[in-house]
């Protein structure tokens, strides 16, 4: 009789352990420890001349990707530059510390469903972020409407 009572309990424990493991691996926070995580510091790259322009700090807060301007890499750019073309609460606010990436959630393939602010134009676009498997670069796709009608910007992980 003893093996019969132990077997279901042992099986249940194994099932619960596997369920816990599965839920952990599906969590965006678990991605922070992986090389392909977007968490960290990134350099934005100019579409015009291919040179680094800005420093963005990305974190995951409550399962949501949040990117903040941490600094500028443009030589001679005056400190305290403001978002003069932004509207609403961001109008004329300092770029340093401004959240430009928000609302993105892990969908199993990419970070999607959020938005990105282009501080040069003050415009906000829907956004998707995909990190390269080696974790050294990411592709940020900004778009209006459908992702096919947008632009991809490549960022590199800060050294």
């Amino acid at each position: 009789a003893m093996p019969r009572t132990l077997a279901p309990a042992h099986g249940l424990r194994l099932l619960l352990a596997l369920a816990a493991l599965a839920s952990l691996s599906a969590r965006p926070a678990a991605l922070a420890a992986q090389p392909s995580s977007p968490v960290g510091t990134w350099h934005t790259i100019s579409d015009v001349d291919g040179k680094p322009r800005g420093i963005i700090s990305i974190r995951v807060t409550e399962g949501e990707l949040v990117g903040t301007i941490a600094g500028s890499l443009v030589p001679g750019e005056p400190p305290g530059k403001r978002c003069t073309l932004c509207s609403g609460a961001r109008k004329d606010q300092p770029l340093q510390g401004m959240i430009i990436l928000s609302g993105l959630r892990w969908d199993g393939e990419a970070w999607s469903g959020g938005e990105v602010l282009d501080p040069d134009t003050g415009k906000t676009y829907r956004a998707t972020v995909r990190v390269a498997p080696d974790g050294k670069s990411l592709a940020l796709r900004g778009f209006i409407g459908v992702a096919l009608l947008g632009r991809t910007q490549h960022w590199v992980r800060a050294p």
Side-chain angles (χ1 to χ4, degrees):
M2 194 166 197
R4 283 188 177 181
T5 57
L6 284 179
H10 180 69
L12 180 61
R13 267 188 246 124
L14 180 61
L15 187 61
L16 289 173
L18 287 173
L21 198 60
S23 72
L24 252 182
S25 65
R27 278 200 186 133
L31 294 172
Q34 299 173 359
S36 60
S37 166
V39 173
T41 304
W42 298 88
H43 289 178
T44 63
I45 306 298
S46 168
D47 294 339
V48 178
D49 61 13
K51 293 182 180 175
R53 291 203 61 212
I55 304 167
I56 308 297
S57 175
I58 296 180
R59 67 187 186 281
V60 175
T61 303
E62 296 178 14
E64 184 179 299
L65 208 62
V66 178
T68 305
I69 297 176
S72 173
L73 295 169
V74 177
E77 186 169 271
K81 186 174 176 184
R82 296 179 175 273
C83 196
T84 56
L85 297 177
C86 287
S87 59
R90 291 178 171 142
K91 177 79 176 149
D92 296 323
Q93 293 302 306
L95 289 177
Q96 179 113 8
M98 184 175 285
I99 292 174
I100 63 160
L101 197 61
S102 62
L104 290 95
R105 293 193 173 275
W106 182 248
D107 67 14
E109 292 183 20
W111 292 86
S112 64
E115 63 181 33
V116 61
L117 166 74
D118 179 346
D120 292 334
T121 65
K123 293 182 180 174
T124 303
Y125 301 93
R126 291 176 59 196
T128 301
V129 169
R130 292 179 194 276
V131 180
D134 67 4
K136 294 180 181 178
S137 65
L138 67 75
L140 172 88
R141 181 101 178 136
F143 56 95
I144 296 173
V146 293
L148 289 174
L149 304 175
R151 181 177 114 214
T152 301
Q153 191 174 61
H154 295 277
W155 296 359
V156 295
R157 195 173 293 274

